Amino acid sequence: MPGTVALFVACVADLAYPGPPRACVEVLEAMGVSVELPAGQTCCGQPALNSGYPRQATTLARRWLATFARYDAVVTTSGSCLSTVHHAYPRLLHGAEREQAVALAARSWEFTQFVTDFGQGLTLRLDAEVTYHDSCHMLRTLGERSSPRELLSRIDGLTLVEMTDSGVCCGFGGTFAVKLPDVSVAMADHKLAQAGRTGARYLVSADPACLMHLQGRADVTRAGIRTRHIAELVSDALVRTEVRA
C-alpha cells in the first residue's frame, strides 16, 4: 500500500461540495496513509473538452500532470474526473507527455478502487439501507462498477438494494443540465423515482456532481430519499479503536 497519496479534490468538491474529499482523508488516514493536498491543482479539463475546447483542455491536462507527477499514488472522490485522466489525456497528449500521462494514470485511483484494494483492515459498521447510482463516466469510460459495491458489502449492517436503471444517466451531464434543463430535470426525476421505490435511506454514488444535481431536485420535489457520497458513507461507518493511555 502506498504510504503517501496526493488527493485530487476536483472542481465541484473544491467550489461547492467539500464533504467527500474531507471524508476521503478521514478514511485514508484510518488506513494509515498520509494524505497530501497539492496546492497547484486545478480542473482536470473535462468541462472544456466536453464543450469542444480541446486546446484549453490540453493546457489543463499538462498542468495536472505537472502537479501530480512526483507522487506514487493519486486518489480522487470523482470517478468522472479520473476517467478523464485515464482516457482523455492519452488522446490529448503526444510523445513523452503521453507516456507520462499513461504512467500517472496507472497509479491514480478513484476512492472506492483504492480502499477496495488496500483497505481490507478497516472495521466498518453502519445500519442503513442504500441504493447505488452508477455515474456515466465512471461506469462507461472508467469501466468501474464493482469497486463501489465491493466496498459497500464490507460495511457490517449495511444493505444495498439495487434500483432499476442504476446505470441510466441522472441528467446532470455538466453543461447538458444548463443547455437542456427540462430534459435534465426529467432524467433526475426518473432516477429519484427508481431510487425511492427501493425504500432505501440513502442514494449513494461516487461522483459529487451527480449527487448535487439529484439532491437539488430531491429538495424541490420533497423526495423521501437523501443523497450521500460513498466516501462520506464509509467515513460514517468507520469504527475507530480508542487507545487508552
Side-chain angles (χ1 to χ4, degrees), residues 38-219:
Q41 62 179 288
T42 58
C43 179
C44 69
Q46 183 186 133
L49 183 62
N50 290 350
S51 298
Y53 297 97
R55 181 173 60 83
Q56 290 83 348
T58 301
T59 298
L60 290 168
R62 288 181 175 132
R63 182 181 179 90
W64 199 94
L65 292 177
T67 301
F68 291 100
R70 69 185 182 90
Y71 291 96
D72 293 330
V74 181
V75 176
T76 184
T77 52
S78 173
S80 178
C81 292
L82 188 65
S83 74
T84 300
V85 174
H86 275 248
H87 294 280
Y89 286 7
R91 294 188 288 110
L92 292 170
L93 302 169
H94 305 280
E97 287 183 327
R98 184 182 188 279
E99 293 178 4
Q100 182 188 23
V102 172
L104 186 51
R107 57 184 194 270
S108 299
W109 284 267
E110 180 270 331
F111 169 80
T112 65
Q113 293 176 328
F114 190 86
V115 180
T116 299
D117 285 349
F118 301 111
Q120 294 89 344
L122 290 174
T123 302
L124 303 171
R125 170 78 194 183
L126 186 68
D127 291 319
E129 287 192 348
V130 306
T131 192
Y132 186 79
H133 161 61
D134 290 288
S135 59
C136 292
H137 285 93
M138 184 162 163
L139 176 64
R140 295 174 178 82
T141 309
L142 193 59
E144 184 57 79
R145 184 181 187 275
S146 61
S147 288
R149 290 169 171 82
E150 169 64 21
L151 184 52
L152 291 173
S153 74
R154 296 182 188 178
I155 301 176
D156 187 28
L158 184 139
T159 301
L160 171 64
V161 186
E162 293 283 5
M163 74 174 94
T164 302
D165 296 336
S166 66
V168 171
C169 180
C170 70
F172 176 66
T175 57
F176 173 85
V178 177
K179 294 177 179 178
L180 297 169
D182 292 341
V183 179
S184 175
V185 164
M187 295 173 74
D189 287 349
H190 172 77
K191 176 65 67 171
L192 290 170
Q194 298 294 3
R197 291 189 181 102
T198 67
R201 178 181 178 186
Y202 292 120
L203 170 56
V204 178
S205 187
D207 267 303
C210 296
L211 294 170
M212 287 183 62
H213 176 62
L214 289 168
Q215 187 61 62
R217 189 60 187 162
D219 289 344

